[in-house]
């Protein structure tokens, strides 16, 4: 699925391509516009797409809500500088079984990993907020970087940094008994 462009405008050596489906402009690199660099992927840009693998360059600074939802994506490389995983970004991507979150990621949005095939999730040191239903039911283990000041993990279970709040017990974790510490 590709965006339909309605206007192409050049401002100060940059190419701005406006989409009918995107309230923000996207800057899109194309051979006929060699001076253009993509910086934004709009909302629903790859929704339902048959794409299997995608490497998103570090020039991308913003990814819109539901950008890859219900797609066939299996493998994705996210930009290192990505600050936010927006709401429902990978919702319904049941073929997505592994993801490496950017080290600078700060926020995991609502439903962003819901209905995916991800079983193990590693949360980086800069994640400060995980919104409702950010995880999926296939999760077996949640790991947290040892330098995180917001979250901790014990036995694959997500806690607040002081261990006073149990935040998420992975839905698909093995074992029938758990004793809350």
């Amino acid at each position: 699925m590709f965006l339909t462009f309605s206007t192409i405008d050049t401002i100060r050596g940059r190419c701005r391509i406006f989409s009918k489906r995107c309230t923000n402009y996207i800057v899109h690199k194309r051979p006929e516009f060699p001076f253009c660099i993509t910086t934004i992927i709009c909302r629903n840009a790859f929704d339902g797409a048959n794409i299997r693998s995608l490497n998103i360059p570090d020039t991308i600074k913003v990814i819109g809500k539901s950008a890859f939802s219900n797609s066939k994506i299996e493998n994705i490389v996210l930009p290192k500088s990505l600050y936010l995983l927006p709401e429902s970004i990978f919702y319904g991507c049941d073929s997505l079984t592994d993801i490496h979150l950017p080290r600078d990621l700060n926020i995991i949005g609502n439903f962003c990993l819901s209905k995916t095939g991800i079983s193990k999730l590693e949360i980086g040191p800069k994640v400060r907020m995980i919104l409702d239903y950010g995880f999926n039911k296939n999760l077996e283990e949640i790991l947290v970087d040892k330098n995180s000041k917001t979250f901790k993990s014990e036995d694959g279970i997500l806690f607040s940094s002081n261990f006073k709040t149990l935040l998420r017990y992975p839905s698909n974790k093995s074992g029938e008994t758990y004793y809350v510490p």
Side-chain angles (χ1 to χ4, degrees), residues 15-75:
C15 177
R16 298 192 330 157
I17 301 177
F18 297 81
S19 167
K20 294 177 183 176
R21 294 183 54 201
C22 182
T23 56
N24 298 321
Y25 72 88
I26 66 169
V27 184
H28 182 65
K29 187 173 185 175
R30 295 177 44 184
E32 59 269 32
F33 301 109
F35 49 84
C36 297
I37 299 172
T38 305
T39 59
I40 297 172
I41 296 176
C42 287
R43 176 182 185 162
N44 299 319
F46 291 90
D47 184 291
N50 287 326
I51 192 165
R52 300 273 185 218
S53 182
L54 184 62
N55 186 346
I56 302 174
D58 290 335
T59 58
I60 297 293
K61 303 300 179 203
V62 177
I63 299 177
K65 174 180 167 182
S66 304
F68 305 100
S69 62
N70 301 306
S71 70
K72 303 292 183 213
I73 199 141
E74 297 171 359
N75 181 339

Side-chain angles (χ1 to χ4, degrees), residues 72-123:
K72 303 292 183 213
I73 199 141
E74 297 171 359
N75 181 339
I76 188 161
V77 176
L78 295 168
K80 294 174 191 164
S81 60
L82 194 63
Y83 176 85
L84 161 73
L85 273 187
E87 181 177 337
S88 303
I89 186 172
F90 297 112
Y91 182 87
C93 296
D94 54 3
S95 297
L96 182 62
T97 57
D98 187 34
I99 190 166
H100 298 284
L101 300 179
R103 189 155 176 81
D104 288 340
L105 187 69
N106 276 243
I107 301 169
I108 297 175
N110 292 329
F111 302 101
C112 75
L113 299 173
S114 293
K115 297 190 178 184
T116 64
I118 297 170
S119 61
K120 179 179 175 183
L121 185 65
E122 295 181 34
I123 297 173

Side-chain angles (χ1 to χ4, degrees), residues 97-179:
T97 57
D98 187 34
I99 190 166
H100 298 284
L101 300 179
R103 189 155 176 81
D104 288 340
L105 187 69
N106 276 243
I107 301 169
I108 297 175
N110 292 329
F111 302 101
C112 75
L113 299 173
S114 293
K115 297 190 178 184
T116 64
I118 297 170
S119 61
K120 179 179 175 183
L121 185 65
E122 295 181 34
I123 297 173
K126 294 185 179 180
V127 173
R128 300 282 180 257
M129 189 182 311
I130 300 172
L131 301 176
D132 294 337
Y133 311 107
F135 303 126
N136 69 358
K137 295 191 187 248
N138 292 323
L139 268 181
E140 298 171 5
E141 182 176 35
I142 302 168
L143 303 174
V144 177
D145 187 281
K146 65 181 179 178
N147 296 317
S148 174
K149 294 180 179 164
T150 310
F151 303 104
K152 297 293 180 200
S153 176
E154 182 177 292
D155 196 30
I157 300 163
L158 184 64
F159 289 89
S160 61
S161 62
N162 61 9
F163 286 97
K164 289 187 177 185
T165 306
L166 190 156
L167 298 168
R168 179 68 177 179
Y169 183 91
S171 301
N172 213 16
K173 185 167 179 57
S174 62
E176 295 180 11
T177 304
Y178 177 70
Y179 298 99

